[in-house]
Amino acid sequence: MKMIISLVLLAACGFLIYMLVININDPIRFMAEKETREQAVIARLKQIRTAQEFYRDITGGFAGDFDTLKQVLTTGKFRIISVLGDPDDPNFDRNNLQYDTTFFAAIDSIRSLNINLDSLRFVPYGGTATFDIAADTITYQSTLVNVVEVGVPRRLFMGKYADPMYSKFDNRYDPNSRLKFGDLNTPNTSGNWER
């Protein structure tokens, strides 16, 4: 009888140790996975922001969809204007001021930064999920300005950790909150991870 009680107590101790290890490892695993997934999404958002800035340099505005962004960056060209002479030199004749315009293919800059325009729209760890993208023009401080916003809710890339129960490990974690850059209400291309 003592042997049975000892075995039952040993099994109960083993189970309690197992539960303790699980309870310690769950928050560690969650925080590590959250960090890995968020950093991958942030890296992609930075690439999209760079692509949008290139698009703005070419067209003067932001792209409202990924197809237009890809098309312009594949075929568009940057215009570089060089001033010949030194207009700050007091001996320089301003009537002889000349400009030299050269064009560079945008796709060369995109390739040099290792930005893949075909996969840019897809959320890392999100399967076939794509980023939300919107562009508009607003009046800001009596001036017409272009604005852009690109983002994704965390639940689309957090996998099994998209459950709100994981907020017990991180008080600031909300699977419905968004990782994004830009704002459709202000001319700002900062990411909310940079605050």
Side-chain angles (χ1 to χ4, degrees):
M1 187 68 178
K2 284 184 178 182
M3 183 68 139
I4 293 173
I5 292 174
S6 294
L7 288 174
V8 169
L9 287 176
L10 184 62
C13 285
F15 177 75
L16 291 174
I17 289 171
Y18 172 77
M19 292 305 291
L20 181 63
V21 167
I22 292 294
N23 284 332
I24 290 172
N25 281 339
D26 271 354
I28 294 169
R29 221 175 288 125
F30 165 73
M31 293 303 283
E33 192 66 22
K34 176 180 167 270
E35 181 69 17
T36 299
R37 288 173 182 248
E38 284 185 355
Q39 288 307 312
V41 171
I42 287 169
R44 182 69 53 87
L45 282 168
K46 287 179 179 179
Q47 288 182 334
I48 296 170
R49 181 170 55 188
T50 299
Q52 283 282 15
E53 289 167 351
F54 286 173
Y55 182 93
R56 182 181 56 191
D57 289 345
I58 294 168
T59 66
F62 292 108
D65 62 77
F66 284 102
D67 292 330
T68 304
L69 181 66
K70 178 183 174 183
Q71 190 272 328
V72 168
L73 293 178
T74 303
T75 62
K77 296 182 180 209
F78 294 118
R79 181 177 60 184
I80 308 295
I81 300 174
S82 303
V83 178
L84 303 176
D86 184 5
D88 295 329
D89 183 359
N91 298 323
F92 184 74
D93 181 9
R94 299 211 189 300
N95 294 327
N96 290 331
L97 192 61
Q98 295 179 357
Y99 299 96
D100 181 34
T101 304
T102 54
F103 293 92
F104 296 98
I107 194 67
D108 294 338
S109 296
I110 293 294
R111 286 183 183 138
S112 71
L113 293 173
N114 292 322
I115 296 175
N116 183 341
L117 294 174
D118 294 324
S119 64
L120 198 59
R121 71 182 71 214
F122 297 107
V123 179
Y125 298 100
T128 59
T130 60
F131 288 96
D132 300 324
I133 184 171
D136 202 357
T137 306
I138 64 168
T139 302
Y140 184 79
Q141 297 180 350
S142 303
T143 306
L144 199 60
V145 294
N146 294 299
V147 292
V148 66
E149 183 173 320
V150 179
V152 63
R154 283 179 168 82
R155 65 182 151 68
L156 290 182
F157 64 84
M158 284 304 294
K160 73 176 188 176
Y161 297 110
D163 192 322
M165 76 169 205
Y166 287 98
S167 62
K168 67 183 175 186
F169 302 136
D170 182 355
N171 293 338
R172 296 172 294 157
Y173 178 68
D174 176 8
N176 293 316
S177 65
R178 293 168 43 89
L179 269 178
K180 70 177 188 106
F181 75 84
D183 191 333
L184 290 178
N185 299 313
T186 59
N188 175 1
T189 57
S190 295
N192 63 354
W193 63 88
E194 297 170 324
R195 297 177 191 155

